[in-house]
């Protein structure tokens, strides 16, 4: 059923003051059961009238308007800790179908209408390599994304587009399967060393190994050239929208779009939280690089393999010689290996962001990249799970400052996850500290002069999680956020209580975390009751 806005009592409802009297949050921030602020749209007597008003408001009038919009695009200024923070919402992973069409357009239209009414700045979508270039090298199909972009523009929202060069499927939250392009998989079948490999020889098809970044292994092109051609095609196809409705382009740099190695794959039960993961340096290209690095410092015997004592995916640090309290990680060899392993990851990010900067320069859009929030074993000396992922962060070595400086070099926003997590929520044996990790990244980005944006790592709808994000943004320990992207839009988000929490969160972020709790008898709010909007969207069979 398509969402309609009309004057029937099934959709328009005055607040019932009794419904929110006993609502209490479990965080310092309070998220009341309230109506949202007044929307830009009003309930009309028919869908047709609503649609006409909306399109008239947001349709660009001329090329002059488009050029003006590019000059005045949302810029996410470097924030003070009490600055307004725009909130985006991630769209479903299968927003564009395998056939290249917009999935469930009526439901999407209804959802975007509701998000706009809730005060959300915009939405985020993955532009999947495996969808867009699946028909062959340099054969791009952007039509499903074109339909989405026009719909987002119609509703007056902004769009963050992720250049997703990784596979969808096999990780936390993956609800569908989108492999790499078939012609790429064909090359992998002929040369399995194109993908990351662990010490047991297990291949991971999530992402092309960074070891072959500069080798023409993809039908005469290097992976970096293939990624660059993909981004260039996007720029050419949507040039009139980039810097306008397309406010940000996030460059995928690894599994889940994050700058990291696939050290903790969930598929087939390979890894389980809070396992330390495994180093991914055993394809022939990575091994060749390691050997060359060892020879360059006169330690040839160190280049024959990765650490032999680093354990297995599901181990804890103290189970291994490498990661235990005074383990090999802190030896001369351990430092040599981690400098090489983390250095290769930095080099990969530098190449990709350098290319993206050249392609999108002058477009008016922000560039961003994502870094994973690996918070388990953060309270140990070795930070084992971070090390296997490629972040050389230990009790004695700051792994995030070099990343922040590399991002700043290219003027790229660092997008960090796990902003919603609290230390007290984590199991004691995992030695987690998401709060300590976020604080360290805030300090690193502040020191490097890099803009910081955030995401939640897991789907959360509770006031505690939302309150933690607000508190993180207000923290005096480092950068405030330039933007926050909420994971993820689905049916559950539009359920009454969850939706009301989101609306209040968006309001608080807009007010720098100082938003007041709307009273039960507040008369400045909209007559459009968000719970009923949510129910109608659910009826529209969203996701």
């Amino acid at each position: 059923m398509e969402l309609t806005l009309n004057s029937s009592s099934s959709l328009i409802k005055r607040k019932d003051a009794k419904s929110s009297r006993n609502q209490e949050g479990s965080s310092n921030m309070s998220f009341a059961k309230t109506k949202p602020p007044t929307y830009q749209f009003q309930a009309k007597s028919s869908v047709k009238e609503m649609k006409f008003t909306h399109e008239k408001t947001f349709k660009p009038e001329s090329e002059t308007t488009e050029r003006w919009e590019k000059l005045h695009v949302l810029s996410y200024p470097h924030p003070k800790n009490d600055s307004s923070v725009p909130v985006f919402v991630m769209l479903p992973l299968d927003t564009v179908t395998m056939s290249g069409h917009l999935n469930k357009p009526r439901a999407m239209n209804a959802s975007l209408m509701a998000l706009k009414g809730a005060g959300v700045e915009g939405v985020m979508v993955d532009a999947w390599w495996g969808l867009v270039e699946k028909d062959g090298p340099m054969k791009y199909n952007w039509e499903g994304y074109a339909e989405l972009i026009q719909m987002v523009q119609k509703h007056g929202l902004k769009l963050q587009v992720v250049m997703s060069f990784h596979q969808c499927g096999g990780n936390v939250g993956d609800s569908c399967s989108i492999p790499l392009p078939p012609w790429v998989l064909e090359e992998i079948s002929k040369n399995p060393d194109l993908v990351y490999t662990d010490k047991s020889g297990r291949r991971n098809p999530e992402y092309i190994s960074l070891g072959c970044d500069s080798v023409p292994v993809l039908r005469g092109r290097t992976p970096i050239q293939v990624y660059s051609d993909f981004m260039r095609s996007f720029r050419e196809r949507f040039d009139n929208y980039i810097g306008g409705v397309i406010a940000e382009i996030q460059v995928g740099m690894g599994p889940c779009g994050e700058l990291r190695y696939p050290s903790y794959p969930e598929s087939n039960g390979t890894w389980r939280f809070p396992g330390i993961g495994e180093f991914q340096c055993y394809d022939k290209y990575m091994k060749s690089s390691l050997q060359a690095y060892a020879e360059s410092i006169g330690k040839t015997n160190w280049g024959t393999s990765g650490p032999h004592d680093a354990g297995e995916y599901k181990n804890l640090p103290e189970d291994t010689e490498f990661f235990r309290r005074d383990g090999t990680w802190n030896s001369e060899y351990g430092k040599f290996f981690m400098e090489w392993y983390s250095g290769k990851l930095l080099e990969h990010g530098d190449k990709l962001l350098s290319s993206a900067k050249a392609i999108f320069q002058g477009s008016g859009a922000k560039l961003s990249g994502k870094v994973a929030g690996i918070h388990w074993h953060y309270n140990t000396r070795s930070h084992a799970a971070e090390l296997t992922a490629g972040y050389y962060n230990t009790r004695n070595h700051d792994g995030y400052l070099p990343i922040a400086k590399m991002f700043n070099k290219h003027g790229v926003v660092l997008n960090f996850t796990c902003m919603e997590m609290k230390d007290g929520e984590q199991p004691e044996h995992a030695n987690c500290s998401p709060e300590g990790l976020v604080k360290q990244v805030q300090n690193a980005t502040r020191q490097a002069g890099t803009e910081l944006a955030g995401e939640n790592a897991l789907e959360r709808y509770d006031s505690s999680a939302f309150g933690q994000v607000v508190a993180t943004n207000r923290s005096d320990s480092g950068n405030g956020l330039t933007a926050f992207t909420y994971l993820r839009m689905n049916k559950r988000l539009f359920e009454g209580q969850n939706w009301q929490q989101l609306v209040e969160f968006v309001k608080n972020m807009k007010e720098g975390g100082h938003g007041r709790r709307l009273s039960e008898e507040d008369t400045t709010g909209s007559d459009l009751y968000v719970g009923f909007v949510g129910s109608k969207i659910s009826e529209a069979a969203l996701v």
Side-chain angles (χ1 to χ4, degrees):
M1 178 178 177
E2 189 171 7
L3 172 66
T4 59
L5 294 181
N6 52 50
S7 56
S8 72
S9 60
S10 66
L11 185 59
I12 307 301
K13 179 179 178 181
R14 291 281 177 183
K15 280 196 298 277
D16 180 356
K18 294 180 181 178
S19 66
S20 59
R21 280 179 183 159
N22 297 321
Q23 176 72 10
E24 286 185 6
S26 55
S27 164
N28 292 334
M29 290 306 303
S30 199
F31 293 88
K33 209 173 184 182
T34 71
K35 295 176 302 194
T38 303
Y39 300 131
Q40 292 185 19
F41 56 82
Q42 297 295 323
K44 299 292 180 179
S45 60
S46 71
V47 177
K48 187 174 181 181
E49 188 177 356
M50 174 66 187
K51 185 175 180 183
F52 171 79
T53 305
H54 213 73
E55 289 181 341
K56 183 176 180 182
T57 303
F58 295 110
K59 186 176 180 181
E61 295 179 0
S62 65
E63 291 183 10
T64 303
T65 303
E66 187 66 30
R67 285 196 295 270
W68 182 92
E69 193 175 10
K70 283 193 176 188
L71 288 173
H72 295 271
V73 66
L74 172 72
S75 61
Y76 316 160
H78 206 70
K80 296 178 180 178
N81 290 34
D82 59 354
S83 296
S84 176
V85 179
V87 174
F88 291 76
V89 174
M90 291 186 201
L91 296 181
L93 295 167
D94 61 351
T95 291
V96 174
T97 67
M98 290 300 291
S99 59
H101 300 292
L102 183 62
N103 198 6
K104 301 177 182 174
R106 290 195 305 168
M108 179 63 69
N109 187 64
S111 302
L112 295 177
M113 185 185 302
L115 290 173
K116 177 64 179 178
V120 165
E121 185 74 24
V123 292
M124 172 182 276
V125 68
D126 289 279
W128 295 106
W129 184 26
L131 288 183
V132 175
E133 202 177 354
K134 71 182 178 68
D135 293 333
M138 303 188 78
K139 294 180 180 177
Y140 306 106
N141 177 8
W142 295 106
E143 295 316 303
Y145 293 97
E147 190 176 349
L148 174 68
I149 290 166
Q150 290 162 9
M151 189 180 288
V152 169
Q153 184 181 53
K154 180 186 76 171
H155 288 290
L157 293 165
K158 298 294 184 181
L159 187 62
Q160 298 168 316
V161 183
V162 185
M163 303 286 103
S164 294
F165 300 117
H166 60 286
Q167 160 191 290
C168 177
N171 280 296
V172 177
D174 285 351
S175 56
C176 64
S177 177
I178 304 172
L180 301 185
W183 61 273
V184 175
L185 295 177
E186 187 179 323
E187 295 304 310
I188 293 171
S189 68
K190 292 186 286 188
N191 180 7
D193 283 294
L194 293 182
V195 297
Y196 288 116
T197 307
D198 64 23
K199 68 176 183 293
S200 301
R202 188 185 286 106
R203 310 285 188 178
N204 189 322
E206 286 184 67
Y207 189 80
I208 299 294
S209 170
L210 61 80
C212 57
D213 269 353
S214 301
V215 185
V217 293
L218 297 178
R219 301 193 181 180
R221 292 185 294 165
T222 70
I224 294 295
Q225 287 174 332
V226 171
Y227 304 147
S228 299
D229 289 339
F230 183 94
M231 292 189 287
R232 194 171 294 109
S233 171
F234 179 81
R235 168 78 193 258
E236 292 169 356
R237 177 67 177 79
F238 298 113
D239 193 48
N240 289 335
Y241 299 94
I242 298 173
V245 59
I246 301 173
E248 180 180 324
I249 295 156
Q250 186 172 112
V251 183
M253 294 179 281
C256 297
E258 297 164 336
L259 179 64
R260 65 172 175 87
Y261 294 99
S263 56
Y264 50 100
E266 281 207 309
S267 59
N268 303 317
T270 302
W271 169 88
R272 184 176 63 244
F273 178 86
I276 57 178
E278 289 190 20
F279 292 115
Q280 306 291 309
C281 58
Y282 293 89
D283 65 77
K284 69 181 182 182
Y285 302 101
M286 291 292 281
K287 289 197 292 186
S288 175
S289 172
L290 176 59
Q291 186 67 60
Y293 184 68
E295 290 175 359
S296 72
I297 63 169
K299 298 286 187 179
T300 303
N301 60 319
W302 284 359
T304 57
S305 176
H308 67 279
D309 57 353
E312 299 179 351
Y313 288 102
K314 298 176 184 177
N315 285 152
L316 298 179
E318 292 303 315
D319 297 334
T320 75
E321 289 295 316
F322 192 88
F323 296 116
R324 63 182 175 83
R325 180 178 174 86
D326 295 311
T328 316
W329 64 271
N330 203 28
S331 67
E332 188 181 355
Y333 166 76
K335 294 172 184 176
F336 150 82
F337 177 78
M338 284 311 308
E339 284 172 0
W340 168 78
Y341 191 67
S342 64
K344 290 292 290 183
L345 189 66
L346 274 173
E347 184 182 322
H348 174 67
D350 187 55
K351 288 176 182 176
L352 256 175
L353 295 182
S354 177
S355 175
K357 179 181 177 181
I359 291 166
F360 294 108
Q361 201 157 29
S363 69
K366 280 276 185 183
L367 280 181
S368 68
K370 192 192 295 189
V371 175
I374 302 175
H375 56 86
W376 53 105
H377 306 304
Y378 184 85
N379 281 334
T380 64
R381 291 170 63 87
S382 65
H383 294 234
E386 292 164 86
L387 297 190
T388 57
Y391 305 148
Y392 188 8
N393 193 54
T394 69
R395 185 69 56 87
N396 313 318
H397 192 278
D398 187 344
Y400 298 102
L401 183 57
I403 296 172
K405 286 181 176 178
M406 186 268 288
F407 274 55
N408 183 58
K409 170 184 171 184
H410 301 293
V412 173
V413 178
L414 193 156
N415 191 357
F416 197 69
T417 63
C418 81
M419 291 283 177
E420 84 285 12
M421 294 182 172
K422 293 181 179 180
D423 291 2
E425 299 170 339
Q426 313 307 319
E428 187 175 342
H429 74 285
N431 286 297
C432 300
S433 182
E435 294 180 62
L437 175 59
V438 167
K439 188 176 297 184
Q440 182 182 353
V441 171
Q442 283 183 300
N443 286 329
T445 51
R446 180 183 61 187
Q447 188 175 337
T450 307
E451 293 184 25
L452 177 66
E455 294 180 5
N456 49 311
L458 303 174
E459 286 185 14
R460 295 278 295 270
Y461 307 94
D462 56 288
S463 60
S464 177
F466 285 129
Q468 180 63 20
V469 176
V470 175
T472 296
N473 181 58
R474 291 176 59 188
S475 168
D476 294 328
S477 65
N479 276 350
L481 302 178
T482 58
F484 182 82
T485 303
Y486 175 78
L487 179 155
R488 168 179 318 272
M489 189 179 89
N490 55 28
K491 284 182 180 179
R492 288 192 65 193
L493 177 62
F494 294 103
E495 293 173 1
Q497 178 76 3
N498 296 342
W499 179 252
Q500 289 155 10
Q501 297 280 17
L502 177 72
V503 170
E504 190 67 13
F505 168 68
V506 170
K507 181 178 184 296
N508 271 284
M509 292 295 277
K510 278 190 171 183
E511 297 179 5
H514 300 289
R516 66 182 178 88
R517 182 172 176 155
L518 294 176
S519 72
E520 295 169 1
E521 302 299 333
D522 178 78
T523 57
T524 64
S526 168
D527 287 334
L528 190 59
Y529 184 58
V530 294
F532 285 83
V533 173
S535 68
K536 291 299 177 184
I537 291 171
S538 295
E539 290 173 23
L542 173 72
V543 236

